[in-house]
Each structure stands twice: as C-alpha cells, then as structure tokens.
Amino acid sequence: MGSRASTLLRDEEIEEIKKETGFSHSQITRLYSRFTSLDKGENGTLSREDFQRIPELAINPLGDRIINAFFPEGEDQVNFRGFMRTLAHFRPIEDNEKSKDQNGPEPLNSRSNKLHFAFRLYDLDKDDKISRDELLQVLRMMVGVNISDEQLGSIADRTIQEADQDGDSAISFAEFVKAFQYL
Amino acid sequence: QQNKEVDESEEEDEIFRRKRLTRKKNRRIKNSGKKSESDKAPSGKRERHRKAATKDQKEAENKEKQTNKKKKGNGESSSSPSASNSSDEESLSEEELERLKEQVEEKKKLISTMRNKPWRMAKKLTVLREAQAFVEKFEGALGKGKGKKFYAYKVMMAKKWVKFKRDFDNFKTQCIPWEMKIKEVESHFGSSVASYFIFLRWMYGVNLVLFGLIFGLVIIPEVLMGMPYGSMPRKTVPRAEQATAMDFSVLWDFEGYIKYSALFYGYYNNQRTIGWLKYRLPMAYFMVGISVFGYSLVVVIRTMARNANESTGDGDDNDFIFSWKMFTSWDYLIGNPETADNKFASITTSFKESIVDEQESNKDENIHLRRFLRVLANVLIICCLCGSGYLIYFVVKRSQTFSKMQNIGWYERNEVEIVMSLLGMFCPPLFETIAALENYHPRIGLKWQLGRIFALFLGNLYTFLLALMDDVNEKLTEEDVIKNITHWTLLNYYNSSAVKNSTFSPPPIDPADVPRGPCWETTVGIEFVRLTVSDILVTYVTILVGDFLRACFVRFMNYCWCWDLEAGFPSYAEFDISGNVLGLIFNQGMIWMGSFYAPGLVGINVLRLLTSMYFQCWAVMSSNVPHERVFKASKSNNFYMGLLLLILFLSLLPVAYTIMSLPPSFDCGPFSGKKRMSDVIQETIELDFPAFVAKIFSYVANPGLIIPAILLMVLAIYYLNAVAEAYQHANAELKKKMQMQREEEKNKRNNKATTNLATQDLEDFLTPSAKSGGQSQPTADTKSDSTNKNSPGAKEESKAKNSNATCPGRGVTMAPPPHVTITQPPRQSVKASSPGRASSGTSPQGLHPGTRKGQPCN
C-alpha cells in the first residue's frame, strides 16, 4: 500500500493523523508524497510560495485566501500535520460516518465545518460577518474592471438583502448556512 | 479542457477535487441530502423516493440503507465519485470491515428486538425485510474464505464501475460537438448569443438525420442500382445543351450535368423495382419525402415538450441567486490561464445578465405612459407590416402583367426581388427603433422583434411561392403540348414498325435527341437550390464585409482618424441574434420544401450549417462586441422552436398540395406516368400486399372514418389541455401557500423578540425535524422579508420592544436602503456587526470580541 512515501512517515504519526482527520492510510501516504513534492525547501514545511506554484491556486481569484487558510495565525510555514488538518475539510462525507459518534467532537469534514471553512474565506476581518465591503472585494477580484463600482455595489447590496435575515446588513454564519442549505 | 488538466497528475487530481469545496457543494448535496434526511424534513425532489424514511426511524436503518447504496455502487454513490474513489481501490480496509461487522451485529439485534418497537406493522415489516436482506448479503463478507473474497471483489468492481462511469461522463461531455466553442462564445457574449449557436447545432443534428435518410434510402440506391447515366432520355443531357453542359457558368446555375444527376427529381426512373434487391425506388422516394416531414415534426415537438418540462422543472430555488453567484461561481479546478480568462469573462457576463434582470424587475415607472407607448409602437409596426404587405402584393401583381409584356427592362424584370430585399434591409432596423419605445426587457424585446420580422418575411415567402406556382402552371401547359408531340412521334414510329415486327421495342433514337417535357419538378428543385446557395453566399459576404472588414477598418484606421472610431460612429458590430435566427429558420423552411424535388439539397444544407458553425463562431469572436445590455436567454428556446414549427407547417402545405393534386411530369421523375404522385401508395398496396390489406386500407381512408377520428383527437386535445391547466392552477396555488407559510414563519420569528435568535438558529440547525413545517421556510425570499419588516405592525412592535430593552450602547443601525428601516429587537448582534459601517461609533464591537450573536440583552 503506497509504500514509496511512507518511509518518512512513522506509523504512529499516520495513526494520529488518521484519527484526527479521518483520511485512510493510503490517502495519507499519497498526500504525503504530494506534500514533499510541493516542498521545494525540503525542510518538512510548506511556505506560501510553495502553494502559489500550484497553477490552480495561482489563477484562482481567491487563491491567496485559500492559501492563507492553511497557515495558522501569524505563521508562514505549515507542517504536514497542519496541512492535513486543513485538507481534512475537503474530505467528502462518507455515507457510513454520518450517524456515528454524535456525541464525539464534530469531525473536520462535517457539513457545518465545511461551510465554516468557506465562510472564513470571505470573512476577512474575522468578525464572523461578511460585510458589504468584504463582498465588494471578492466581486472586484472576480470580475476585474469590467463592471462599474456602482453596479458591483448594487450586486453586493442585493446579495446581502437576499441572505440577510436579521437586518444588520451583513451575512452572519447562520445566514450563510441558510443560503446554502439546498446547495 | 479542465478535464485535461485534471488528468495531469493523479494526485493533484485527488487533492484538488477536494479543493472544489464551494463548487462541489452542488454535488455534495446528494451526500448531505442523505444526512439531512435523517434529521430534516425531506426536502426537494431529490429525496422523493426516500421520503418513506421518517425522521424518528432508527439510525440503524439509515446506516444500513446507505451502506447498501454504496455497496451496490448505483447512481447515488456515483454522484459523489470522490467519496468512494478516494478511498483506495485495492480492497476494503480493516476499518471498513470493522464497521461492517458492527452493522451486521446491529441488524441482528434489531431483528431480535423488532417485536418491542412501538412501530406500525407495515413499517415493522419493511424494516425487518430490509434488515434481513442486509444480514444475508453481508454476513458472507465477514466470514473467511470465499465469501470474503467475493465480497471484496464486488466492492472493488463497484468502485471501478463508479470511476468508469465518471470517466465516461467526462468523455460524453467532450463528445458533444462544439461544446467548447459555444461555451467560449457564451462566456464572452452571454447566453443569448450562445442560444443561437445551440440552435444552429441542434439544426445541424436534425439535418444530418434527414441527410442520412435521403442519401441512404434514395440517392445511393439510385446510383448503385438504377439505370446508368445516358441510358434513357431523362438521364441524358439533351443534344442542344451538350456543348455547354460542362461549363462552369452553366454548372453554377445548376443546369447541364448537374440538372441531369441524382441530385434532382427528374433523374429518377419510374421503374417499380430496381436492381437485384428489387428495391422499390418510387415507393422509397415517396416515403422518404413524407418521413422527412414526419421526422422533423416529431423532433421539433419533442424538443419543445422537453424544453417546456425543463423550464418548469426548477422554479422553486430562486431565492439566493446572487448569493450563489457570488460564492460559488468560481470553478476551483481551473488550472489553465486561458480557461481562467474565459471563466472571468463568463462570471462578468453572468453578473451583467443578472443586473439587467434585476433592473428590469425593480423598474417602477409611469405605467400609463408605458402602456400608451407600447400600444403606439404596436400600431406603428402593424402599419409598417400592412404597408409592406400591400407593397409586395402590388409589386407581384405588376410583375404578372410585366411578364406578359415583351421587351421589358432590367428593373421591371427584377422589381419584385429589389423591393423584397429593400424591405428586408430597412424594416428590421425600423422595427428595432420603434421597439425602443416599448422598453421591454431585452429578452422579451427579442421575441417581439423576431415575431415582427417573421411576419415580414412571410411576405417574402408568399411572393416566392406565388412566382413558383405561376412557373409550374406555365410548365404544365407547355408539357401538355410536348406530350402530344411525343405521343404523335411514338405513334408514328409504332405504326411504321408494327408492320415489320410486332414487339414493342423502343425507337432507335439516341436518348439525347428525344423530345422531352419541361419537367416542372426539377425546375422547382433547381429554384430552391439556387435560392439556398445564394442565401449562403449573401450571408457569408455580409458577415465578411459587415462584420469583419468593418472591424478591421475600425481597429486599424482608428490610429489616423479624426474621431474615435471605436467609440463613435461605425464602432464594432453587435451580433444580430434575431436576423441570424430567422435566417436559419427560413433557410430550413426552404430545405423542407425543396428536398422533395431536389434530394441533394439537404446535403448542401448540411455543408452550409457545418461551415457556418465555424465561420460564425470565428466572426463573432474576432469582430463583434457584446451587446450593450447582455441578457440571459430563456432556458428553453421554445420561441425559436415555435417559429420553426410554424415554418415547417407552412412549408408542408405547398409540398402536400403538389403531391396530392398536381399531375407529375410524364417523362421524368419516379412518378412519371401516374395521375398523382400519391398513386404510388395505392399501387404498392394493390400489387404487393394481400387483398385484405387493400380492403382495410380503403376502409381506413374512408372520410366517414377519418372525420370522427379527427373529432376524437380534437376532443382529446381539449381534455388534456383542460387537465394541464388545472394542474398549473393547483401548482400556482401551492406555491402561493408555501410563500404564505414562509412569511408567517418569518413574522413569528421577528416578533419573538425575547427569544435569542442564535439559539433558535442552532436549534433549527440541529433538530429541524422537530418542526417540520418550519423547515420548509428557511429560504424565505427577500421580497417577503422586506415587506413584512416594513409592515407597520411589526415595526411598531419591535420599536416598542427596543424602547423597553435597556441594553447599553444599542445603536440604531441604519443601513443602506430597503431592509434596515428597522432595528432588530434586542440582539447585540446588530451592533457588533459590520465593521464597514461606522454609524454606531460607541458600539461595543471591541468589547465583545468573542461574542457574536447569541448574547441576550441582559
């Protein structure tokens, strides 16, 4: 089972990661080899530049924010554990783990955690609200200069109006969840 | 293209498939749908088939079902390909086995304790049956040896199958012709322009089928098995024309060798059967001519029905258009700069489209003025149409008198054409100018414009058919004369030869010298082919000059011109949707009408559509600019289809008329020698079928039977229509009810001032099953939102509550227009929010860094 990269990864480490993130053994080793191939400095950590080398992230308008999501507050290196912890958000929910461990801590890849991850991409100042200004920034990144500021403003207003339920003209996490309930 | 990137490296694929978070929620819904089913009220159609599972059911059952599903590897699990795919494919792992064992144990327990459950009998039975099936199925897997291996093999195959299906889906998408081209156009020019190209592609498909039908069943058999060229008069170029028959100018007019080829009606022989296959060519010719129409009708109507289904299918989740656009429009798999550019363009375009839609729905203006202007515009346009109709009528009348006169000038001869093309050139822009008065949404405006130009073009069609009918009548009289002459010659010949030998052998005249009739069918066919070819040329030249050269001129002369060419007068051309669509539709009408007389016409049309796909795509991308107001095409382009259906019907009429009531030429074509073309059916029935079939046929064809049948059909249509209307009505009622319910819920929530919203939300989120009614409401739409917030009752109440509450630093947050005329009752979230708004300077934003919503006032 994918023994090429596991030489560098100790079994107990894998066990821990498995417990924390829910990835399977072979997934972890595969991701580890991917991790090492991204790691150009070969010091066991990834820097922002390493991430920016991934073409999908480089052209993504939100790429920087996704990259930021990998790094804990104030640091600019991430090790494999941290890497895996972030990636765990992307792990699909498997059919058979849904009803299990209701009482245990919520797994990283639960629906609400996933939504929260997405929410944080938009919530720049971390006040748990997506404000109009934050929306405008995202819009600007997505459409460039093709649409006038005024129109972008109206789009942002409209978006907030749609999702906002308590009338504070910002989108809270609960409202965010609501908007994506059927998605 | 994305797929290509994905394949670059398997691992990258693995990781980035997960990165598609926002995008993929779309699919994930199917996963979480299953989850939600256990704790939410069954929502949406996706779970319709599983509604039976009520919320309070034992989770065991859920689990079992899910596992079942997964193991079977059926459609459900294919919707989350990464789920089953990401876990390694080798075999099932330890933990999976463990889980399975647990489940089987659980099942067994469930079976044994079934008696004690407080369930209804029916439910008990179903659960029991399911549990037993599960145990039976998977017990073997846990055992040693064969069962386990078999199970592992099955799981592996299921996973492989899922992967294969995913790849196959990708492959299928790549096989859709021109998908990438159209998507590219769509991303730059909006869905309205793309709708034209989609229509073009659809048309190409239909024509390909027609082409296959005609070539496979008529032309190829004739070429392979029919009598060769030169063997009989109708297959030979007459002596007088032979000298010039190969000249290009003659061929270009579809005379000479082309006229006497299998591409036209006149070439076909009236032999009942040809070749060693005894292929009944005249019969086949007739049937193919009919089935071209039959197939087209069926396809058009089926497409319309499907479109109608689609457009009504998803009307209910329109509540968060902008949110979804905003948060989910980027495709996280894009790794290619070019694709990314396209995606940027398409996001921009889609935003523009929704801005237009939005502006349109929010427009409030003087309704009386608007109404007046619309009526005025319609009156003006009807005047225009009547005027041009009369003009056409007048000109046609005049040309008929001209045609009887000798030595007329060039203008008199071509008057009709000149008037028609002048009308076609000036009327559409005129209509467009008048339509500006109406100020419709551009999508609706386009429909009106299409309808009006369509009416104008009908005049075109009318003159064309009228001229053709005149021609045909003339040819028919001419034919009579020639027929007499040939009869006379033949009679003379037989008289003279009958003395020598009594056998009727054909006269020893070279087939090229035989006098022959004008063969009106071929004339008509040539007319249609000429028209089609000239139409193609005109279209292409217009694009080349009007779009490409203009674009080149504007682009390059701009450096040395006195004013700004790009922004000023000529500027770049916009893509003319209405003109192109109508051109396509009318062209198709010509094809339908002409294909009976010129079987090769469909081939020409297929080539035309093929080249125009590439040519127009290129022209649009290279020399057009997007419309000023990019608008979203309606999802079903049923309007195009409706026009097409009308044209199909109109073009069916003349063909049916000629088939049923004009005598075919006596010396050319597959039906020569018969009184009517439709006689071929009767002949076949009489000669090739047993007698009773002929009897049945004669009964069926009896008007006494046909009229009641038609009546019955009309009644059925009426009844079905009534039923459909009733359903629609019920649907609308239900929708209204749901809306009301939502509003009510909203009101209640707004008024429950003392309840903490956050906890309430949390409750909703965790145990929505508790209030199944409430769960259907959460996508409360904004309209009702703002209305009931602004409703005076709610406002006053909440204000009163506000004044009662004694929260420190409760800022009255005023936010941009509609919604925030209100301060939300005593929730701190209001002020802690939105750092962008500095309205409440003393708000305790900094004081409660950790507390967001969820802090009761006191």
Side-chain angles (χ1 to χ4, degrees):
Chain A
M1 269 174 134
S3 56
R4 50 207 157 114
S6 62
T7 45
L8 295 165
L9 212 57
R10 278 175 291 120
D11 276 347
E12 50 267 37
E13 244 178 326
I14 293 181
E15 271 314 309
E16 276 172 42
I17 292 172
K18 212 197 264 182
K19 209 175 286 163
E20 189 178 13
T21 63
F23 281 116
S24 77
H25 189 279
S26 68
Q27 281 171 332
I28 293 173
T29 49
R30 214 181 301 172
L31 284 173
Y32 187 70
S33 77
R34 175 72 178 148
F35 180 83
T36 43
S37 73
L38 277 177
D39 180 17
K40 295 282 183 239
E42 299 191 345
N43 48 6
T45 57
L46 292 183
S47 64
R48 285 193 157 74
E49 288 74 42
D50 288 330
F51 278 107
Q52 264 149 7
R53 247 175 254 125
I54 303 170
E56 277 84 350
L57 284 179
I59 43 178
N60 193 332
L62 292 176
D64 280 338
R65 302 204 181 170
I66 295 174
I67 294 172
N68 272 336
F70 277 93
F71 295 94
E73 203 82 38
E75 287 178 40
D76 51 1
Q77 295 286 319
V78 59
N79 60 10
F80 187 59
R81 286 292 286 277
F83 180 72
M84 290 303 279
R85 215 171 291 128
T86 312
L87 279 189
H89 287 114
F90 297 104
R91 194 166 67 85
I93 304 168
E94 266 169 56
D95 299 338
N96 41 20
E97 57 184 312
K98 241 160 258 154
S99 37
K100 226 167 55 171
D101 49 35
Q102 294 270 351
N103 357 335
E106 219 177 350
L108 281 172
N109 68 339
S110 73
R111 184 174 165 78
S112 73
N113 266 333
K114 279 176 179 180
L115 280 172
H116 204 240
F117 185 85
F119 182 77
R120 275 181 310 209
L121 289 182
Y122 297 98
D123 179 23
L124 278 187
D125 53 9
K126 307 217 175 357
D127 64 348
D128 280 300
K129 301 252 177 221
I130 302 179
S131 68
R132 187 173 181 274
D133 284 340
E134 285 160 348
L135 281 185
L136 271 180
Q137 281 186 33
V138 175
L139 280 173
R140 202 26 85 229
M141 284 193 277
M142 285 205 295
V143 302
V145 290
N146 291 316
I147 299 183
S148 72
D149 279 327
E150 189 189 337
Q151 282 176 324
L152 282 190
S154 71
I155 294 176
D157 282 339
R158 196 66 183 73
T159 313
I160 289 175
Q161 199 186 332
E162 262 174 14
D164 190 18
Q165 296 192 321
D166 52 13
D168 61 354
S169 65
I171 302 173
S172 69
F173 180 58
E175 288 157 354
F176 189 77
V177 167
K178 209 135 253 181
F180 291 106
Q181 199 162 33
Y182 294 124
L183 207 60
Chain B
Q1 218 167 331
Q2 295 160 19
N3 294 330
K4 231 184 286 160
E5 262 107 57
V6 174
D7 290 339
E8 264 173 23
S9 95
E10 177 64 24
E11 280 140 16
E12 215 161 66
D13 182 358
E14 285 301 337
I15 298 175
F16 283 99
R17 176 148 302 120
R18 286 177 207 129
K19 286 238 160 102
R20 253 166 118 188
L21 181 74
T22 30
R23 235 345 212 20
K24 236 187 47 192
K25 272 181 218 135
N26 242 330
R27 294 196 196 153
R28 200 169 285 150
I29 179 69
K30 298 209 174 143
N31 273 337
S32 51
K34 276 184 244 152
K35 175 177 118 196
S36 65
E37 174 227 47
S38 60
D39 48 18
K40 279 178 203 158
S43 64
K45 40 217 147 136
R46 293 189 194 95
E47 276 131 7
R48 199 182 299 142
H49 60 294
R50 309 191 63 194
K51 243 180 205 165
T54 43
K55 299 133 234 161
D56 57 331
Q57 215 155 341
K58 280 275 157 294
E59 43 188 55
E61 198 205 346
N62 275 325
K63 210 196 287 176
E64 175 264 324
K65 265 194 187 170
Q66 284 145 12
T67 345
N68 238 341
K69 276 242 148 79
K70 190 184 155 206
K71 299 293 132 81
K72 272 187 235 142
N74 59 7
E76 201 78 17
S77 63
S78 78
S79 65
S80 56
S82 44
S84 23
N85 215 46
S86 55
S87 54
D88 41 340
E89 276 131 31
E90 291 98 280
S91 72
L92 65 165
S93 62
E94 286 297 311
E95 34 189 319
E96 245 172 280
L97 215 60
E98 208 53 46
R99 220 177 286 145
L100 204 65
K101 206 180 246 167
E102 223 170 83
Q103 278 168 10
V104 170
E105 285 307 314
E106 220 166 294
K107 276 282 113 91
K108 279 184 182 161
K109 215 165 75 191
L110 183 70
I111 293 172
S112 59
T113 58
M114 181 73 73
R115 245 168 245 267
N116 310 331
K117 299 273 192 250
W119 293 344
R120 260 171 296 123
M121 202 59 212
K123 189 176 162 190
K124 267 189 191 181
L125 273 177
T126 49
V127 172
L128 181 68
R129 223 166 279 140
E130 270 166 10
Q132 275 169 343
F134 182 86
V135 169
E136 209 167 289
K137 191 160 169 219
F138 292 112
E139 214 170 18
L142 301 170
K144 305 256 165 345
K146 217 173 170 189
K148 182 176 174 180
K149 258 193 198 138
F150 178 65
Y151 176 72
Y153 175 74
K154 239 179 12 185
V155 169
M156 197 184 70
M157 283 320 281
K159 282 172 178 170
K160 285 254 158 73
W161 172 239
V162 166
K163 186 166 163 44
F164 168 77
K165 265 211 291 212
R166 199 182 68 202
D167 289 346
F168 187 70
D169 277 348
N170 284 345
F171 176 71
K172 256 195 330 210
T173 328
Q174 272 175 352
C175 280
I176 299 175
W178 305 304
E179 186 72 359
M180 282 338 278
K181 253 185 180 357
I182 291 175
K183 283 275 177 266
E184 203 178 331
V185 169
E186 183 171 1
S187 64
H188 283 95
F189 290 85
S191 47
S192 52
V193 175
S195 75
Y196 165 71
F197 285 99
I198 290 169
F199 187 55
L200 179 61
R201 180 175 66 186
W202 181 84
M203 206 69 115
Y204 179 72
V206 171
N207 273 285
L208 220 53
V209 174
L210 297 185
F211 175 77
L213 215 59
I214 289 179
F215 265 66
L217 294 179
V218 173
I219 294 186
I220 290 178
E222 169 68 27
V223 169
L224 290 183
M225 300 187 287
M227 309 231 309
Y229 172 83
S231 58
M232 47 192 312
R234 71 184 65 177
K235 298 193 178 194
T236 319
V237 179
R239 180 79 64 201
E241 296 173 23
Q242 260 175 10
T244 56
M246 243 349 231
D247 291 1
F248 180 73
S249 63
V250 173
L251 290 183
W252 185 245
D253 273 345
F254 298 98
E255 297 280 346
Y257 282 112
I258 292 188
K259 184 175 172 183
Y260 299 95
S261 71
L263 296 184
F264 289 105
Y265 173 92
Y267 184 79
Y268 294 83
N269 195 1
N270 63 345
Q271 234 178 333
R272 271 201 73 231
T273 60
I274 56 168
W276 51 273
L277 272 178
K278 300 263 179 263
Y279 189 73
R280 287 173 174 74
L281 192 73
M283 180 69 185
Y285 195 99
F286 187 80
M287 293 313 280
V288 165
I290 301 288
S291 54
V292 161
F293 282 102
Y295 173 78
S296 311
L297 260 178
V298 167
V299 159
V300 171
I301 288 179
R302 218 184 51 192
T303 314
M304 282 179 84
R306 208 178 39 218
N307 282 348
N309 266 346
E310 251 171 41
S311 57
T312 51
D314 46 11
D316 43 0
D317 36 4
N318 281 336
D319 289 335
F320 293 101
I321 321 161
F322 277 92
S323 309
W324 289 7
K325 271 217 173 76
M326 169 97 73
F327 294 121
T328 63
S329 48
W330 187 258
D331 183 343
Y332 285 77
L333 266 182
I334 293 176
N336 176 343
E338 218 169 284
T339 324
D341 278 349
N342 274 346
K343 190 73 197 173
F344 273 121
S346 86
I347 291 175
T348 311
T349 321
S350 81
F351 269 124
K352 275 185 186 163
E353 283 173 351
S354 20
I355 289 174
V356 168
D357 280 355
E358 203 51 35
Q359 279 171 349
E360 214 56 37
S361 61
N362 288 344
K363 215 162 45 180
D364 49 351
E365 82 278 90
N366 189 342
I367 188 117
H368 294 295
L369 179 67
R370 175 81 34 239
R371 246 181 229 157
F372 170 71
L373 282 179
R374 283 186 184 169
V375 169
L376 181 69
N378 273 316
V379 167
L380 282 179
I381 283 173
I382 287 174
C383 285
C384 277
L385 282 177
C386 288
S388 48
Y390 180 71
L391 188 63
I392 292 170
Y393 176 74
F394 177 74
V395 173
V396 169
K397 264 267 148 59
R398 226 159 83 110
S399 77
Q400 278 169 345
T401 58
F402 278 143
S403 66
K404 292 192 184 84
M405 281 196 271
Q406 298 299 314
N407 59 12
I408 41 170
W410 178 85
Y411 171 75
E412 275 86 2
R413 236 181 303 136
N414 291 310
E415 195 183 43
V416 179
E417 280 79 15
I418 293 172
V419 168
M420 291 309 301
S421 37
L422 280 181
L423 279 180
M425 208 183 296
F426 288 112
C427 276
L430 183 67
F431 290 168
E432 208 156 335
T433 322
I434 296 175
L437 280 181
E438 296 177 308
N439 203 1
Y440 278 123
H441 182 286
R443 180 164 52 231
I444 300 162
L446 176 69
K447 283 189 181 172
W448 279 97
Q449 174 80 352
L450 275 172
R452 284 160 184 166
I453 302 177
F454 186 84
L456 183 71
F457 278 14
L458 279 185
N460 215 333
L461 201 69
Y462 156 78
T463 51
F464 178 73
L465 287 181
L466 220 59
L468 218 57
M469 270 343 264
D470 279 352
D471 216 19
V472 167
N473 283 332
E474 197 179 301
K475 288 270 156 73
L476 279 175
T477 49
E478 190 183 327
E479 196 181 72
D480 270 345
V481 177
I482 294 177
K483 203 171 169 181
N484 283 339
I485 294 172
T486 21
H487 264 295
W488 201 239
T489 347
L490 282 181
L491 212 63
N492 278 344
Y493 170 74
Y494 287 135
N495 279 344
S496 58
S497 62
V499 190
K500 279 173 246 161
N501 49 358
S502 54
T503 54
F504 283 152
S505 64
I509 317 172
D510 188 88
D513 295 327
V514 175
R516 54 183 88 171
C519 195
W520 60 268
E521 291 95 338
T522 301
T523 319
V524 170
I526 287 180
E527 207 60 45
F528 277 111
V529 173
R530 267 191 212 145
L531 199 74
T532 308
V533 170
S534 70
D535 186 40
I536 296 172
L537 291 180
V538 167
T539 314
Y540 286 2
V541 168
T542 321
I543 290 174
L544 216 53
V545 175
D547 289 352
F548 183 64
L549 287 186
R550 176 169 158 191
C552 285
F553 175 77
V554 170
R555 177 83 182 76
F556 294 111
M557 294 305 280
N558 204 22
Y559 298 117
C560 49
W561 206 262
C562 359
W563 69 83
D564 188 3
L565 284 173
E566 284 184 345
F569 162 57
S571 110
Y572 297 106
E574 282 180 359
F575 186 77
D576 175 19
I577 303 172
S578 56
N580 275 303
V581 167
L582 282 180
L584 200 60
I585 288 174
F586 272 87
N587 171 60
Q588 192 59 38
M590 293 291 150
I591 304 301
W592 275 324
M593 273 192 270
S595 64
F596 189 75
Y597 304 110
L601 188 57
V602 182
I604 296 175
N605 193 41
V606 165
L607 282 183
R608 177 229 170 109
L609 295 177
L610 189 67
T611 47
S612 86
M613 190 75 192
Y614 287 102
F615 186 59
Q616 289 197 300
C617 266
W618 164 79
V620 161
M621 292 304 283
S622 70
S623 45
N624 283 7
V625 286
H627 290 248
E628 216 168 288
R629 296 174 77 194
V630 184
F631 61 93
K632 201 165 147 196
S634 49
K635 230 187 239 163
S636 60
N637 41 9
N638 257 1
F639 194 72
Y640 298 169
M641 290 289 166
L643 291 182
L644 194 68
L645 193 64
L646 193 56
I647 277 290
L648 177 59
F649 185 68
L650 287 181
S651 57
L652 179 62
L653 289 181
V655 175
Y657 171 72
T658 52
I659 288 179
M660 300 308 283
S661 52
L662 282 189
S665 302
F666 74 99
D667 65 344
C668 70
F671 311 115
S672 56
K674 295 192 177 57
K675 263 215 179 89
R676 299 274 176 267
M677 293 181 190
S678 48
D679 286 351
V680 74
I681 297 273
Q682 221 145 16
E683 188 193 72
T684 311
I685 288 175
E686 273 162 18
L687 297 183
D688 294 338
F689 286 97
F692 74 93
V693 176
K695 222 174 208 172
I696 291 174
F697 188 77
S698 71
Y699 285 141
V700 169
N702 189 353
L705 214 65
I706 289 181
I707 290 173
I710 290 178
L711 268 180
L712 197 69
M713 271 197 262
V714 169
L715 285 181
I717 290 173
Y718 175 75
Y719 170 72
L720 289 178
N721 212 15
V723 169
E725 239 160 57
Y727 279 140
Q728 247 167 15
H729 186 69
N731 226 346
E733 284 294 290
L734 279 178
K735 243 181 213 164
K736 223 192 271 169
K737 232 180 239 173
M738 262 163 75
Q739 198 107 4
M740 295 272 276
Q741 215 169 13
R742 266 185 214 166
E743 257 167 60
E744 219 165 78
E745 196 70 24
K746 195 113 198 169
N747 264 337
K748 240 189 252 163
R749 183 175 295 201
N750 281 349
N751 294 345
K752 248 193 266 168
T754 43
T755 359
N756 184 324
L757 187 90
T759 34
Q760 202 180 347
D761 271 350
L762 211 61
E763 268 170 27
D764 275 359
F765 195 55
L766 293 176
T767 59
S769 57
K771 25 184 202 158
S772 53
Q775 212 36 47
S776 63
Q777 134 292 352
T779 55
D781 68 331
T782 47
K783 212 183 284 171
S784 69
D785 185 5
S786 54
T787 49
N788 69 33
K789 266 186 193 161
N790 289 337
S791 68
K795 206 194 268 182
E796 262 166 38
E797 193 176 354
S798 60
K799 266 194 185 142
K801 293 227 167 88
N802 269 339
S803 55
N804 286 343
T806 50
C807 271
R810 173 170 34 81
V812 181
T813 42
M814 297 300 262
H819 31 240
V820 203
T821 42
I822 247 197
T823 52
Q824 273 303 309
R827 268 181 294 109
Q828 286 212 326
S829 60
V830 182
K831 347 145 202 159
S833 72
S834 64
R837 259 183 304 106
S839 62
S840 51
T842 54
S843 72
Q845 212 168 313
L847 296 179
H848 306 269
T851 65
R852 9 184 184 151
K853 73 248 149 148
Q855 284 267 309
C857 237
N858 23 16

